[in-house]
Amino acid sequence: MQSKKFKLNLLTAITLAAALVGCGGGSNVSSSASNNGGSSALNSAVSVLTSHTLDVPLLSTAEATAMAKPLFISRPVEAPAPVDAASGLLSAKQAAPNETSVVPHEASVSASVYTPAQIRAAYQLPPLPTSWTGLTAAQAAQFGAGQTIYIVDAYHNPNAAAELAAFNSRFGLPNCTTVAIPASTALPLAAANPSNGCQFSVVYTNSDGVMTSTAPSYNSGWAQEIALDVQWAHATAPLARIVLVEASSASVGDLLGAINLANAMGPGVVSMSFGAGEGNWTSSVDSSFSGADMSYVASTGDNGATVSGAGVSWPSVSARVLAIGGTSLRSYTSTARDEATWSGTGGGVSQYVAAPAYQAASVQGMGSQTRRNVADVAFNADPNTGQYTAIIPPGSTSPTWYSMGGTSLSAPQWAGVIAVTNAVRAQNKQGPLGLVQNFIYKASTTAASFFTSIMNDIASGNNGGYFAKSGYDQPTGLGTPHVSKFITLADGSIPSGPPPSVSAVTINGIAGTALSFAMPYTSSNAVSWNLTNAPSGMTINAAGLVSWPAPVAGTYTVTATATDSVTHLTGSAIATITVAQPVVAPIVTSATVAGQSGTPFSYTILRQAENPLSFSLVGVVPAGMTISSSGTLNWANPVAGTYPITVKATDTKTLATGTGVITVQIAKATAPPTGPVISAPALTGVAGRSLAGIISFSDPGARSIRVTIKGNPSSMFFFGSGQGILMWWPRPVRGSYTLEITAIDNRGLSAQATMPITIN
């Protein structure tokens, strides 16, 4: 078949006024189109639509029939099927590709597979609700209610709805009602009703952008692409309406027809996970990306990049399309994620498309450019950090679970992010974002703190031709989204004015004792606050007052961020908080102790302490009284009286103190007892004539006296008699005798005496 050649910038506007009807893929040729000649799909006339205008690009046969490729990489996942969890990763088996899978990139590398809940947590999408019923309009908007995502793909997937249902069942996502859109439906479609929840529709189109009732033929690779696109657009915007537009083939002409049909259906986000090599015809089809209130996203490719530009693909190279690159999502927390450039992501510099105005030299990392740079933004795409996708092969009813990667994974998720953002904007009576690039690039150059709050800069890795760096780079563009901030702050205007100024503080506290302090700040407008890396139980109120009812010992570095309520600009500072263990004060035991005047006094203080102590005496202290470093109270020459002495003990490490009162009672001195006094006069007697005598004792203060007598003859007797002892010797024997007398009283005092006896 021959085809006439046309200038690539020639666009023929054809106004269509009749109702669209299903005609089994055929179309009536209009005279205005046929007069242009040519036999390519896009050179034929466009079947009529109701009240819609199409700018139809005229391509050569070679250009129109050039084939686009789906941009995904899959890995079959080892049974059992995945179980959704909000944390952790599930392993994926490295299996040989079968006839329905694309050969994995870097197949020897072990893989991990993410669930929808994990991806939502990593990219800070609003968490899934416990129930999908009873949501307020504002809550439903957080999940894309009232918005439409158009998934443009080639060929037919007969199990797309069943695969989506299996995916939803597995991961707790809302089911989608399947809604038929007959080929005869008047366009544009009615706007999606936010109260209808998720609706899923499939339409077929020919290269003229006309709906038909005949499904395209089945293609296993494109069927996987369709499953991936539908499921992950839905996982990102679970309440958005999804319209799958299936082109009759993967030719550029047929895919352009599908894009034009999406334009005709009405406002929404068009997701395109395919690519064809760019050419000098690329800019001539840009009119297909100019639908009113439409946003367009496309994958940048899975084969890396070359400096020559061969790695740049259409449609991502279009200046009217948001080009989505790929990252490797290695790990994440609730506030940050570890991402690097995926080595297989497309990205580079176009050979044909002029640099758009938004890619200005003022964009950090961009520099002065004459040609369009790809990508604009990025999302997880590495098949080694893949995401679960359900595939139901023809003739089967149960899903096989795949770990899918490639920039095909990135594009539908960005479509979901934009749909959710538009839903939130609709709640605020604002229109859709449209050309998202204008917003993102402008924010990067005019509001740095605002931009870093909505985007995560990727500064490591490369795609074989270009390296990631701070600011813009070809593999990942301006980075990946912090979605919760992106959808909250993307109000269509770029904030101006100074951001809040927050000052750092250093705070000390005691464990268990309530702690509060204010973050110093200045701002032109009211601010809201949030804390990052705060310990459990710590909060901050609208006035910037930080409270912690029950501090725990340790050192904490907490970031306090103030967000201007008008400009949405932010300012942050660090609060360094040191919480010490509670100090235990020394305990000094009070006591009453006695002493005697004139007798040195000493008393060791009783105490309890965790560390060594120092001691001091407080108040009035009698002259000469001191306390030693070991806590001994000394008084060398005490004076009679009663003295309450306050003793202070100080912990030498914590400086905590404790006191006690030692009451010192000093009695007057008395004469010391002398002990027993023995009176034993000498006796003289006559042999054979009885002899008697008295040994007397005195011992004032004693209660008893024990007396021992030695040296007495065996015939001598002793008897107690009053205060003494009666000695009786009935029959004395001549000689001289000496009695040795010892007396010991009850106090231990003793005395000794002798009693001489002479017998003539």
Side-chain angles (χ1 to χ4, degrees):
M1 180 183 296
Q2 295 181 343
S3 171
K4 295 182 179 179
K5 301 294 183 178
F6 291 84
K7 292 183 179 179
L8 297 181
N9 60 355
L10 177 61
L11 300 178
T12 303
I14 305 176
T15 302
L16 308 165
L20 174 67
V21 296
C23 52
S27 61
N28 296 322
V29 179
S30 70
S31 59
S32 60
S34 60
N35 288 340
N36 287 326
S39 59
S40 73
L42 287 184
N43 287 338
S44 62
V46 180
S47 295
V48 293
L49 304 175
T50 300
S51 301
H52 184 69
T53 300
L54 290 178
D55 290 328
V56 181
L58 301 180
L59 301 177
S60 69
T61 299
E63 294 160 351
T65 58
M67 303 301 287
K69 295 181 180 180
L71 300 176
F72 71 93
I73 296 175
S74 66
R75 299 179 186 275
V77 176
E78 182 180 26
V83 176
D84 191 17
S87 63
L89 298 177
L90 303 177
S91 295
K93 180 181 180 181
Q94 296 303 311
N98 57 29
E99 69 278 6
T100 63
S101 64
V102 176
V103 176
H105 178 72
E106 297 176 338
S108 64
V109 180
S110 62
S112 297
V113 192
Y114 287 107
T115 66
Q118 292 169 332
I119 289 297
R120 296 185 71 86
Y123 287 93
Q124 300 172 26
L125 280 149
L128 299 176
T130 55
S131 173
W132 291 99
T133 60
L135 298 179
T136 66
Q139 290 171 328
Q142 297 281 316
F143 303 102
Q147 300 299 308
T148 301
I149 299 175
Y150 298 102
I151 304 293
V152 173
D153 278 311
Y155 299 106
H156 180 51
N157 180 349
N159 290 324
E163 291 165 337
L164 178 59
F167 186 78
N168 293 339
S169 175
R170 176 64 62 183
F171 297 120
L173 294 165
N175 290 325
C176 297
T177 304
T178 300
V179 177
I181 301 177
S184 59
T185 302
L187 300 181
L189 300 173
N193 187 337
S195 63
N196 286 343
C198 173
Q199 293 182 329
F200 177 63
S201 300
V202 183
V203 296
Y204 318 127
T205 181
N206 59 22
S207 60
D208 298 329
V210 175
M211 278 194 293
T212 75
S213 57
T214 302
S217 60
Y218 172 79
N219 177 286
S220 62
W222 280 93
Q224 287 190 64
E225 179 64 72
I226 290 170
L228 167 65
D229 294 348
V230 169
Q231 291 167 38
W232 281 98
H234 176 61
T236 312
L239 296 180
R241 176 172 68 180
I242 295 178
V243 179
L244 171 61
V245 184
E246 294 183 336
S248 58
S249 79
S251 70
V252 170
D254 286 349
L255 289 168
L256 277 169
I259 295 166
N260 284 324
L261 177 58
N263 291 334
M265 287 183 167
V269 186
V270 179
S271 178
M272 300 169 288
S273 293
F274 52 82
E278 69 167 341
N280 57 7
W281 53 270
T282 300
S283 295
S284 70
V285 299
D286 266 0
S287 59
S288 293
F289 306 122
S290 59
D293 294 330
M294 301 287 284
S295 295
Y296 304 87
V297 300
S299 307
T300 60
D302 300 339
N303 297 314
T306 60
V307 178
S308 67
V312 178
S313 66
W314 176 90
S316 65
V317 72
S318 170
R320 298 181 181 181
V321 173
L322 187 69
I324 316 296
T327 66
S328 299
L329 177 61
R330 297 182 290 204
S331 64
Y332 66 91
T333 67
S334 61
T335 58
R337 54 187 176 270
D338 179 13
E339 280 183 290
T341 299
W342 171 43
S343 59
T345 186
V349 181
S350 173
Q351 295 181 359
Y352 304 99
V353 179
Y358 53 76
Q359 290 191 329
S362 57
V363 176
Q364 182 186 2
M366 177 69 69
S368 180
Q369 300 291 332
T370 59
R371 298 292 183 185
R372 161 80 157 129
N373 280 241
V374 174
D376 296 310
V377 292
F379 216 92
N380 182 46
D382 187 347
N384 296 310
T385 59
Q387 297 172 210
Y388 280 110
T389 303
I391 304 295
I392 300 178
S396 177
T397 58
S398 59
T400 299
W401 291 97
Y402 282 77
S403 170
M404 304 294 272
T407 52
S408 281
L409 187 60
S410 310
Q413 292 182 100
W414 256 104
V417 170
I418 296 170
V420 170
T421 304
N422 285 340
V424 174
R425 288 170 56 81
Q427 286 291 303
N428 297 327
K429 310 300 181 185
Q430 296 170 318
L433 284 174
L435 190 63
V436 183
Q437 296 95 307
N438 286 339
F439 169 75
I440 297 178
Y441 279 92
K442 183 177 180 182
S444 74
T445 61
T446 61
S449 65
F450 168 80
F451 184 74
T452 56
S453 74
I454 66 172
M455 297 294 290
N456 179 44
D457 188 18
I458 309 300
S460 64
N462 67 89
N463 68 348
Y466 299 91
F467 284 80
K469 60 183 185 300
S470 179
Y472 179 86
D473 54 69
Q474 288 80 5
T476 63
L478 293 172
T480 59
H482 300 305
V483 181
S484 61
K485 291 291 187 181
F486 190 95
I487 64 178
T488 300
L489 303 181
D491 60 3
S493 62
I494 304 302
S496 60
S501 175
V502 185
S503 300
V505 294
T506 300
I507 303 296
N508 295 311
I510 301 297
T513 301
L515 179 68
S516 65
F517 59 91
M519 291 300 300
Y521 77 99
T522 58
S523 177
S524 303
N525 306 294
V527 299
S528 60
W529 290 89
N530 75 287
L531 298 176
T532 304
N533 201 34
S536 176
M538 181 179 288
T539 59
I540 187 168
N541 67 12
L545 181 66
V546 178
S547 299
W548 196 3
V552 178
T555 299
Y556 306 89
T557 302
V558 180
T559 301
T561 300
T563 302
D564 190 300
S565 60
V566 176
T567 67
H568 302 303
L569 296 175
T570 61
S572 299
I574 298 295
T576 303
I577 305 161
T578 301
V579 179
Q581 291 286 0
V583 175
V584 178
I587 298 175
V588 177
T589 302
S590 296
T592 299
V593 294
Q596 189 172 347
S597 62
T599 300
F601 171 82
S602 179
Y603 175 73
T604 300
I605 304 299
L606 300 178
R607 70 276 192 164
Q608 298 178 25
E610 295 183 347
N611 303 302
L613 300 174
S614 63
F615 295 90
S616 61
L617 301 179
V618 180
V620 178
V621 179
M625 182 179 286
T626 61
I627 191 167
S628 71
S629 60
S630 62
T632 300
L633 198 61
N634 296 298
W635 196 0
N637 189 23
V639 178
T642 298
Y643 306 92
I645 305 299
T646 299
V647 177
K648 178 180 178 181
T650 301
D651 190 306
T652 56
K653 290 186 177 181
T654 67
L655 301 183
T657 62
T659 60
V661 176
I662 308 300
T663 302
V664 180
Q665 296 178 337
I666 303 297
K668 290 183 179 180
T670 58
T674 58
V677 176
I678 304 173
S679 176
L683 295 177
T684 301
V686 177
R689 184 180 297 176
S690 65
L691 179 67
I694 296 294
I695 304 171
S696 60
F697 304 91
S698 65
D699 194 353
R703 294 192 302 272
S704 63
I705 298 175
R706 172 175 292 180
V707 178
T708 302
I709 300 175
K710 296 180 180 180
N712 57 296
S714 60
S715 58
M716 184 179 289
F717 299 95
F718 299 92
F719 304 94
S721 175
Q723 296 294 317
I725 293 176
L726 172 63
M727 184 280 295
W728 179 50
W729 193 0
R731 301 181 72 82
V733 178
R734 185 176 61 170
S736 296
Y737 306 91
T738 301
L739 302 183
E740 296 178 0
I741 305 165
T742 301
I744 302 175
D745 65 15
N746 61 289
R747 298 170 297 183
L749 300 176
S750 64
Q752 292 181 328
T754 59
M755 184 177 186
I757 300 176
T758 302
I759 302 299
N760 296 318

